[in-house]
Amino acid sequence: MDTQSLRNTLLILRRIAATHANQTILQFINKLAEAPDSPPEVALRVAAYLLDQFKSARIVIVNSQLVPEAKSGVLTALDALERLFSIESLHNQFGSFPKIAPGYISNFVILLSASGSPLEGEESEAAIELAEEIDGLITKFDDLGLDPLVREIGRKHMSMLATLLRHIPIFGLEPALSTYFDLVMRLRRADSGTSPKAKSRLDPLFVTIKTWGERLGLIDKAVNSGAKLLERADGARGLLEYLPDISDVL
Protein backbone atom coordinates (compact mmCIF):
# COMPACT_ATOMS: atom_id res chain seq x y z
CA MET A 1 0.00 0.00 0.00
CA ASP A 2 1.01 3.63 -0.47
CA THR A 3 2.39 4.66 2.91
CA GLN A 4 3.39 8.29 2.29
CA SER A 5 0.22 9.77 3.80
CA LEU A 6 0.59 7.46 6.81
CA ARG A 7 4.18 8.56 7.31
CA ASN A 8 3.21 12.23 6.92
CA THR A 9 0.47 11.80 9.53
CA LEU A 10 2.94 10.14 11.89
CA LEU A 11 5.24 13.15 11.63
CA ILE A 12 2.37 15.51 12.41
CA LEU A 13 1.46 13.44 15.48
CA ARG A 14 5.05 13.64 16.66
CA ARG A 15 4.96 17.43 16.33
CA ILE A 16 1.72 17.57 18.29
CA ALA A 17 3.09 15.31 21.04
CA ALA A 18 5.87 17.87 21.58
CA THR A 19 3.56 20.88 21.85
CA HIS A 20 1.74 22.41 24.82
CA ALA A 21 -1.84 21.79 25.89
CA ASN A 22 -2.68 25.52 25.88
CA GLN A 23 -1.37 26.16 22.37
CA THR A 24 -4.10 26.74 19.80
CA ILE A 25 -4.26 24.87 16.51
CA LEU A 26 -3.72 28.17 14.69
CA GLN A 27 -0.59 28.90 16.73
CA PHE A 28 0.69 25.41 15.94
CA ILE A 29 0.14 25.99 12.21
CA ASN A 30 1.84 29.39 12.27
CA LYS A 31 4.78 27.88 14.14
CA LEU A 32 4.94 25.17 11.50
CA ALA A 33 5.04 27.92 8.88
CA GLU A 34 7.76 29.70 10.91
CA ALA A 35 5.71 32.87 10.52
CA PRO A 36 3.73 33.96 13.61
CA ASP A 37 2.00 36.69 11.58
CA SER A 38 1.16 34.65 8.49
CA PRO A 39 -1.87 35.83 6.49
CA PRO A 40 -5.01 33.90 7.48
CA GLU A 41 -5.12 32.37 4.00
CA VAL A 42 -1.76 30.68 4.60
CA ALA A 43 -2.97 29.05 7.84
CA LEU A 44 -6.15 27.87 6.11
CA ARG A 45 -4.17 26.37 3.23
CA VAL A 46 -1.81 24.57 5.63
CA ALA A 47 -4.82 23.20 7.51
CA ALA A 48 -6.36 22.10 4.21
CA TYR A 49 -3.17 20.30 3.16
CA LEU A 50 -3.02 18.54 6.53
CA LEU A 51 -6.65 17.46 6.23
CA ASP A 52 -5.88 16.16 2.76
CA GLN A 53 -3.08 14.01 4.18
CA PHE A 54 -5.44 12.61 6.81
CA LYS A 55 -8.07 11.87 4.17
CA SER A 56 -5.50 10.10 1.99
CA ALA A 57 -4.34 8.06 4.99
CA ARG A 58 -7.95 7.09 5.70
CA ILE A 59 -8.47 5.89 2.11
CA VAL A 60 -5.31 3.78 2.35
CA ILE A 61 -6.38 2.17 5.63
CA VAL A 62 -10.01 1.57 4.70
CA ASN A 63 -8.99 -0.12 1.45
CA SER A 64 -6.12 -2.12 2.94
CA GLN A 65 -6.15 -5.85 3.71
CA LEU A 66 -5.84 -5.17 7.44
CA VAL A 67 -8.35 -6.82 9.73
CA PRO A 68 -10.90 -4.44 11.33
CA GLU A 69 -9.16 -4.52 14.72
CA ALA A 70 -5.90 -3.39 13.12
CA LYS A 71 -7.65 -0.57 11.26
CA SER A 72 -9.54 0.68 14.27
CA GLY A 73 -6.71 2.39 16.17
CA VAL A 74 -5.41 4.23 13.13
CA LEU A 75 -8.88 5.35 12.03
CA THR A 76 -9.59 6.64 15.55
CA ALA A 77 -6.44 8.76 15.36
CA LEU A 78 -7.45 10.10 11.95
CA ASP A 79 -10.94 10.96 13.25
CA ALA A 80 -9.36 12.96 16.08
CA LEU A 81 -6.92 14.75 13.77
CA GLU A 82 -9.63 15.70 11.30
CA ARG A 83 -11.68 17.24 14.11
CA LEU A 84 -8.63 18.98 15.50
CA PHE A 85 -7.66 20.70 12.23
CA SER A 86 -11.17 21.50 11.02
CA ILE A 87 -11.89 25.17 10.32
CA GLU A 88 -14.20 25.33 13.33
CA SER A 89 -11.43 24.20 15.68
CA LEU A 90 -8.49 26.36 14.57
CA HIS A 91 -8.84 28.71 17.55
CA ASN A 92 -9.22 25.85 20.04
CA GLN A 93 -6.39 24.70 22.27
CA PHE A 94 -4.88 21.23 21.98
CA GLY A 95 -5.97 20.37 25.51
CA SER A 96 -5.25 16.74 26.34
CA PHE A 97 -4.39 15.74 22.77
CA PRO A 98 -0.57 15.99 23.16
CA LYS A 99 -0.77 13.53 26.06
CA ILE A 100 -2.75 10.93 24.15
CA ALA A 101 -0.81 11.45 20.89
CA PRO A 102 1.91 8.88 21.84
CA GLY A 103 -0.73 6.13 21.80
CA TYR A 104 -1.74 7.13 18.28
CA ILE A 105 1.91 7.34 17.29
CA SER A 106 2.45 3.74 18.37
CA ASN A 107 -0.32 2.55 16.06
CA PHE A 108 1.26 4.25 13.06
CA VAL A 109 4.79 3.09 13.95
CA ILE A 110 3.64 -0.54 14.29
CA LEU A 111 1.77 -0.37 11.00
CA LEU A 112 4.61 1.23 9.04
CA SER A 113 7.22 -1.06 10.61
CA ALA A 114 5.18 -4.14 9.75
CA SER A 115 4.92 -3.01 6.15
CA GLY A 116 8.67 -2.40 5.94
CA SER A 117 8.16 1.33 5.27
CA PRO A 118 10.53 4.02 6.57
CA LEU A 119 9.32 5.99 9.58
CA GLU A 120 10.96 9.25 8.56
CA GLY A 121 10.33 11.44 5.52
CA GLU A 122 13.33 12.48 3.46
CA GLU A 123 14.60 15.99 4.13
CA SER A 124 15.82 18.11 1.22
CA GLU A 125 18.62 20.59 1.78
CA ALA A 126 17.95 22.07 -1.66
CA ALA A 127 14.31 22.66 -0.69
CA ILE A 128 15.35 24.43 2.50
CA GLU A 129 17.76 26.63 0.55
CA LEU A 130 15.04 27.51 -1.94
CA ALA A 131 12.65 28.34 0.92
CA GLU A 132 15.23 30.76 2.34
CA GLU A 133 15.62 32.41 -1.05
CA ILE A 134 11.85 32.74 -1.31
CA ASP A 135 11.77 34.43 2.11
CA GLY A 136 14.22 36.99 0.79
CA LEU A 137 12.15 37.71 -2.29
CA ILE A 138 8.94 38.11 -0.28
CA THR A 139 10.29 41.30 1.25
CA LYS A 140 10.75 42.77 -2.23
CA PHE A 141 7.01 42.46 -2.77
CA ASP A 142 6.56 45.25 -0.22
CA ASP A 143 7.57 47.58 -3.07
CA LEU A 144 4.75 50.14 -3.36
CA GLY A 145 5.59 50.51 -7.04
CA LEU A 146 4.09 47.08 -7.68
CA ASP A 147 0.41 46.67 -8.42
CA PRO A 148 -1.41 46.10 -5.07
CA LEU A 149 -2.92 42.80 -6.25
CA VAL A 150 0.46 41.60 -7.51
CA ARG A 151 2.00 42.42 -4.14
CA GLU A 152 -0.71 40.54 -2.24
CA ILE A 153 -0.54 37.46 -4.49
CA GLY A 154 3.24 37.37 -4.35
CA ARG A 155 3.52 37.62 -0.58
CA LYS A 156 0.73 35.13 0.16
CA HIS A 157 1.68 32.42 -2.33
CA MET A 158 5.42 32.66 -1.72
CA SER A 159 4.87 32.40 2.02
CA MET A 160 2.86 29.24 1.40
CA LEU A 161 5.48 27.86 -0.97
CA ALA A 162 8.30 28.43 1.52
CA THR A 163 6.32 26.67 4.26
CA LEU A 164 5.66 23.63 2.07
CA LEU A 165 9.31 23.37 1.00
CA ARG A 166 10.48 23.45 4.61
CA HIS A 167 8.23 20.52 5.46
CA ILE A 168 8.40 18.13 2.51
CA PRO A 169 8.45 15.12 4.88
CA ILE A 170 5.03 16.23 6.14
CA PHE A 171 3.35 17.50 2.98
CA GLY A 172 5.28 15.80 0.19
CA LEU A 173 6.40 17.82 -2.85
CA GLU A 174 3.11 17.84 -4.76
CA PRO A 175 1.51 20.77 -2.86
CA ALA A 176 4.66 22.85 -3.41
CA LEU A 177 4.54 22.21 -7.16
CA SER A 178 0.86 23.15 -7.23
CA THR A 179 1.47 26.31 -5.21
CA TYR A 180 4.33 27.34 -7.50
CA PHE A 181 2.17 26.86 -10.59
CA ASP A 182 -0.62 28.86 -8.95
CA LEU A 183 1.81 31.64 -8.04
CA VAL A 184 3.08 32.01 -11.61
CA MET A 185 -0.34 31.93 -13.23
CA ARG A 186 -1.93 34.34 -10.75
CA LEU A 187 0.95 36.80 -11.08
CA ARG A 188 0.65 36.60 -14.83
CA ARG A 189 -3.07 37.32 -14.73
CA ALA A 190 -2.84 40.09 -12.12
CA ASP A 191 -0.01 41.85 -13.95
CA SER A 192 -1.67 41.73 -17.37
CA GLY A 193 -3.68 44.91 -16.82
CA THR A 194 -1.19 46.98 -14.86
CA SER A 195 0.72 50.05 -15.98
CA PRO A 196 4.06 49.79 -17.82
CA LYS A 197 5.76 51.27 -14.77
CA ALA A 198 4.28 48.64 -12.46
CA LYS A 199 5.21 45.91 -14.94
CA SER A 200 8.81 47.11 -14.97
CA ARG A 201 8.97 46.66 -11.19
CA LEU A 202 7.79 43.05 -11.42
CA ASP A 203 10.04 42.06 -14.35
CA PRO A 204 13.25 41.33 -12.39
CA LEU A 205 11.30 39.60 -9.61
CA PHE A 206 9.53 37.35 -12.09
CA VAL A 207 12.81 36.41 -13.74
CA THR A 208 13.93 35.01 -10.37
CA ILE A 209 10.61 33.24 -9.79
CA LYS A 210 10.86 31.52 -13.18
CA THR A 211 14.17 29.93 -12.20
CA TRP A 212 12.47 28.11 -9.35
CA GLY A 213 10.69 25.75 -11.75
CA GLU A 214 13.91 24.02 -12.78
CA ARG A 215 15.07 23.85 -9.16
CA LEU A 216 11.80 22.22 -8.12
CA GLY A 217 12.38 19.64 -10.83
CA LEU A 218 15.81 18.86 -9.38
CA ILE A 219 14.34 18.61 -5.88
CA ASP A 220 11.78 16.15 -7.21
CA LYS A 221 14.51 13.95 -8.66
CA ALA A 222 16.27 13.90 -5.31
CA VAL A 223 13.22 13.41 -3.09
CA ASN A 224 11.28 10.98 -5.29
CA SER A 225 14.12 8.83 -6.57
CA GLY A 226 12.74 5.52 -7.79
CA ALA A 227 9.27 6.96 -8.27
CA LYS A 228 9.82 10.27 -10.02
CA LEU A 229 6.80 12.48 -9.63
CA LEU A 230 7.49 14.48 -12.77
CA GLU A 231 8.07 11.35 -14.83
CA ARG A 232 5.07 9.37 -13.63
CA ALA A 233 2.39 11.86 -12.58
CA ASP A 234 1.04 13.62 -15.65
CA GLY A 235 -0.72 16.38 -13.74
CA ALA A 236 2.32 17.33 -11.68
CA ARG A 237 4.62 17.16 -14.70
CA GLY A 238 2.36 19.65 -16.45
CA LEU A 239 2.82 22.13 -13.65
CA LEU A 240 6.40 22.68 -14.74
CA GLU A 241 6.27 21.90 -18.44
CA TYR A 242 3.39 24.23 -19.24
CA LEU A 243 4.40 27.29 -17.28
CA PRO A 244 4.06 30.39 -19.47
CA ASP A 245 7.13 31.49 -21.33
CA ILE A 246 8.78 34.49 -19.71
CA SER A 247 8.23 36.54 -22.86
CA ASP A 248 4.48 35.89 -22.57
CA VAL A 249 4.39 37.16 -19.02
CA LEU A 250 6.63 40.22 -18.97
Side-chain angles (χ1 to χ4, degrees):
M1 59 183 175
D2 181 4
T3 59
Q4 178 176 316
S5 59
L6 299 175
R7 186 165 54 252
N8 294 349
T9 301
L10 169 61
L11 295 178
I12 284 294
L13 282 168
R14 286 174 172 171
R15 292 289 187 103
I16 294 174
T19 196
H20 300 291
N22 60 355
Q23 187 176 57
T24 68
I25 313 305
L26 185 60
Q27 289 171 334
F28 174 84
I29 289 174
N30 286 337
K31 185 176 180 181
L32 192 67
E34 299 183 15
D37 301 317
S38 291
E41 298 92 333
V42 172
L44 289 174
R45 281 175 176 254
V46 171
Y49 284 131
L50 291 175
L51 289 171
D52 187 57
Q53 292 293 342
F54 306 150
K55 181 179 179 181
S56 296
R58 178 182 298 279
I59 292 172
V60 170
I61 295 300
V62 168
N63 291 279
S64 71
Q65 300 301 312
L66 296 170
V67 297
E69 289 89 347
K71 295 179 180 180
S72 177
V74 177
L75 292 177
T76 298
L78 293 171
D79 287 339
L81 287 168
E82 287 173 4
R83 289 193 299 269
L84 203 63
F85 286 92
S86 65
I87 293 176
E88 298 82 5
S89 301
L90 291 182
H91 290 286
N92 294 345
Q93 296 180 340
F94 277 103
S96 62
F97 198 94
K99 289 186 177 180
I100 64 177
Y104 293 147
I105 288 171
S106 295
N107 288 329
F108 280 85
V109 169
I110 292 170
L111 180 59
L112 289 167
S113 297
S115 67
S117 301
L119 300 180
E120 303 289 343
E122 186 173 351
E123 296 281 356
S124 170
E125 184 177 338
I128 300 298
E129 291 175 356
L130 180 53
E132 292 174 352
E133 181 177 314
I134 292 170
D135 286 339
L137 195 67
I138 289 174
T139 62
K140 296 184 179 180
F141 273 75
D142 292 330
D143 181 0
L144 296 179
L146 292 169
D147 178 84
L149 183 57
V150 167
R151 283 166 38 213
E152 177 63 18
I153 289 171
R155 287 194 299 245
K156 181 173 65 178
H157 283 73
M158 286 194 293
S159 178
M160 186 74 250
L161 180 57
T163 294
L164 294 170
L165 288 171
R166 286 192 180 93
H167 300 290
I168 287 178
I170 292 175
F171 298 105
L173 186 59
E174 295 92 330
L177 291 171
S178 179
T179 299
Y180 175 65
F181 179 77
D182 199 27
L183 167 67
V184 172
M185 297 307 295
R186 285 178 180 266
L187 283 179
R188 178 189 188 188
R189 185 163 54 245
D191 191 52
S192 62
T194 61
S195 67
K197 183 177 180 180
K199 285 180 181 294
S200 69
R201 304 301 285 264
L202 180 63
D203 288 358
L205 304 180
F206 205 99
V207 169
T208 299
I209 291 171
K210 274 291 278 189
T211 66
W212 297 345
E214 181 178 355
R215 293 171 67 180
L216 284 168
L218 294 175
I219 292 169
D220 166 68
K221 290 180 180 179
V223 171
N224 295 293
S225 58
K228 301 293 189 297
L229 176 67
L230 300 185
E231 291 177 4
R232 303 177 70 173
D234 291 340
R237 182 173 61 244
L239 297 181
L240 299 186
E241 288 188 355
Y242 296 105
L243 287 175
D245 184 85
I246 193 69
S247 60
D248 294 334
V249 179
L250 302 181

